[in-house]
């Protein structure tokens, strides 16, 4: 630090909306590097459990073995204990074999169609050796919320599927099936200022035309005062349509819109493997661990093994 100046900041988080599979929150008093680091950790580095090994005994369905194994891998599994599980490559209980209780969970599936009606084989037919790691419940909105499971394959009369599967801990960086996030997005919070003097020179019809030029409903007219007001600044998509419209109407400077560089609005959607709120907390924990690893290896030789040139650079090398 130069002259004792500190660059330390104290970010603030405000939860706006929270459901099991979605959370919306504000992150303030930090910069884009922290916001993007948090976003990328949520997508690619928060661990979950997913099927990684499939041994197929019988498969007379229309889908080949590899296709079914791939579909099984993409079924989200409840992963609340993923953070405390071991990676199979680091597990000393099974010497990295990846098939013991500390680093894996076993599943079995047995299905055979005995009638003329097509049989749907779903994630509900996967039987787990651990009641805490099971396929995520899925309900079709068109079926009035009935829990049906995720379809794996459909069988006709006489067709059969028997298999054993091993689920292991992993991260999205290795394969997308381990990513706990459906989507993680953030946007800069917009700051919108209307030039009231210029707005006074416009007729009600001109105001309406200007408001309608925005693809999203950011502005509206107050029914009492007939003034243009900002109703939902976050709906602004940085499309500049209202600015272009104001220029075209000869009212340049009618509105000023700028992004707050230290304020972000996050939307996090989970696959259901872990709750969206837990996903955010786990991501913060992993980000802290990464920063601790950099700080602790300041003067160790392992820094070069772990961080390469970055480790040497941190020590001034």
């Amino acid at each position: 630090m130069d002259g004792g100046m500190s660059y330390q900041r104290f970010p603030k988080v405000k939860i706006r909306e929270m459901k099991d599979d979605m959370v919306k929150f504000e992150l303030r008093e930090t910069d884009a590097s922290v916001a993007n680091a948090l976003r990328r950790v949520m997508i690619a580095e928060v661990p979950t459990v997913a099927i990684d090994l499939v041994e197929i005994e019988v498969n007379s369905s229309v889908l080949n073995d590899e296709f079914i194994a791939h579909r099984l891998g993409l079924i989200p599994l409840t992963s609340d204990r993923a953070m405390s599980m071991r990676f199979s490559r680091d597990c000393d209980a099974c010497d990295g074999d990846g098939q013991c209780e500390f680093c894996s969970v076993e599943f079995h599936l047995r299905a055979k169609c005995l009638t003329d009606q097509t049989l749907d084989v779903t994630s509900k037919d996967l039987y787990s050796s651990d009641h805490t790691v099971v396929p995520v419940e899925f309900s079709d909105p068109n079926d009035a919320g009935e829990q049906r499971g995720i379809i794996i394959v459909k069988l006709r009369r006489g067709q059969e599927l028997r298999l054993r599967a091993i689920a292991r801990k992993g991260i999205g960086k290795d394969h997308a099936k381990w990513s706990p996030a459906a989507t993680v997005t953030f946007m800069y919070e917009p700051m919108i200022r209307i030039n009231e003097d210029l707005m006074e020179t416009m007729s009600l019809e001109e105001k309406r035309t200007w408001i309608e030029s925005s693809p999203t409903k950011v502005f509206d007219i107050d029914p009492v005062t007939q003034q243009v007001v900002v109703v939902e600044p976050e709906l602004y998509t940085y499309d500049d349509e209202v600015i272009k419209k104001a220029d075209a109407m000869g009212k340049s400077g009618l509105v000023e819109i700028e992004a707050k560089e230290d304020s972000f609005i996050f939307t996090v959607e989970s696959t259901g493997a872990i709750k969206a709120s837990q996903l955010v907390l786990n991501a913060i924990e992993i980000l802290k661990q990464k920063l601790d690893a950099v700080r602790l290896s300041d003067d160790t030789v392992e820094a070069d093994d772990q961080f390469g040139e970055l480790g040497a650079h941190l020590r001034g090398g």
Side-chain angles (χ1 to χ4, degrees), residues 40-64:
R40 289 176 64 126
V41 168
M42 279 192 261
I43 292 170
E45 298 198 47
V46 171
T48 63
V49 180
I51 289 172
D52 194 36
L53 175 73
V54 181
E55 292 175 354
I56 294 180
E57 293 172 42
V58 178
N59 175 21
S60 53
S61 73
V62 294
L63 299 185
N64 60 50

Side-chain angles (χ1 to χ4, degrees), residues 173-193:
K173 194 183 273 188
D174 296 331
H175 193 289
K177 68 185 176 186
W178 279 300
S179 177
T183 57
V184 181
T185 59
F186 70 82
M187 65 171 282
Y188 288 98
E189 189 177 352
M191 196 154 55
I192 303 172
R193 286 189 295 270

Side-chain angles (χ1 to χ4, degrees), residues 24-38:
K24 199 169 184 179
F25 65 92
E26 297 168 10
L27 178 67
R28 299 182 184 277
E29 294 181 38
T30 188
D31 56 30
S33 66
V34 173
N36 201 41
L38 187 61

Side-chain angles (χ1 to χ4, degrees), residues 124 136-149:
K124 284 193 153 191
V136 167
E137 288 191 345
F138 164 75
S139 58
D140 189 338
N142 301 322
D143 279 358
E146 186 194 347
Q147 300 289 336
R148 290 193 308 120

Side-chain angles (χ1 to χ4, degrees), residues 119-281:
L119 175 70
D120 290 350
V121 180
T122 73
S123 55
K124 284 193 153 191
D125 297 309
L126 274 170
Y127 293 98
S128 171
S129 63
D130 182 342
H131 68 92
T132 64
V133 180
V134 293
V136 167
E137 288 191 345
F138 164 75
S139 58
D140 189 338
N142 301 322
D143 279 358
E146 186 194 347
Q147 300 289 336
R148 290 193 308 120
I150 299 161
I151 290 183
I152 299 165
V153 66
K154 296 188 177 189
L155 304 178
R156 297 300 301 267
R157 180 188 272 276
Q159 292 180 342
E160 186 179 5
L161 181 63
R162 285 208 312 268
L163 59 86
R164 168 179 172 264
I166 301 290
R168 294 172 180 149
K169 173 180 174 175
I171 58 173
K173 194 183 273 188
D174 296 331
H175 193 289
K177 68 185 176 186
W178 279 300
S179 177
T183 57
V184 181
T185 59
F186 70 82
M187 65 171 282
Y188 288 98
E189 189 177 352
M191 196 154 55
I192 303 172
R193 286 189 295 270
I194 296 171
N195 186 324
E196 298 294 349
D197 296 336
L198 259 180
M199 195 61 81
E200 287 296 324
T201 64
M202 295 169 69
S203 67
L204 191 59
E205 195 53 46
E206 283 178 320
K207 288 176 183 176
R208 282 213 177 89
T209 307
W210 180 75
I211 286 168
E212 283 162 13
S213 70
S214 174
T216 49
K217 195 172 171 62
V218 180
F219 306 94
D220 205 354
I221 292 176
D222 189 306
V224 179
T225 62
Q226 307 291 294
Q227 299 293 319
V228 173
V229 289
V230 181
V231 284
E232 202 70 65
E234 286 138 40
L235 290 180
Y236 184 66
T237 55
Y238 296 96
D239 46 52
D240 287 349
E241 290 297 325
V242 286
I243 294 169
K244 289 174 194 167
K245 185 67 176 176
D247 291 345
M249 294 170 79
K251 306 284 183 184
S252 293
L254 182 65
V255 67
E256 279 180 40
I257 304 172
E258 58 187 61
K260 292 184 187 175
E261 293 197 356
D262 66 343
S263 189
F264 310 91
I265 298 159
F266 270 80
T267 304
V268 179
E269 290 181 32
S270 165
T271 60
I274 50 178
K275 288 183 179 178
S277 55
Q278 194 62 48
L279 171 54
V280 178
L281 295 172

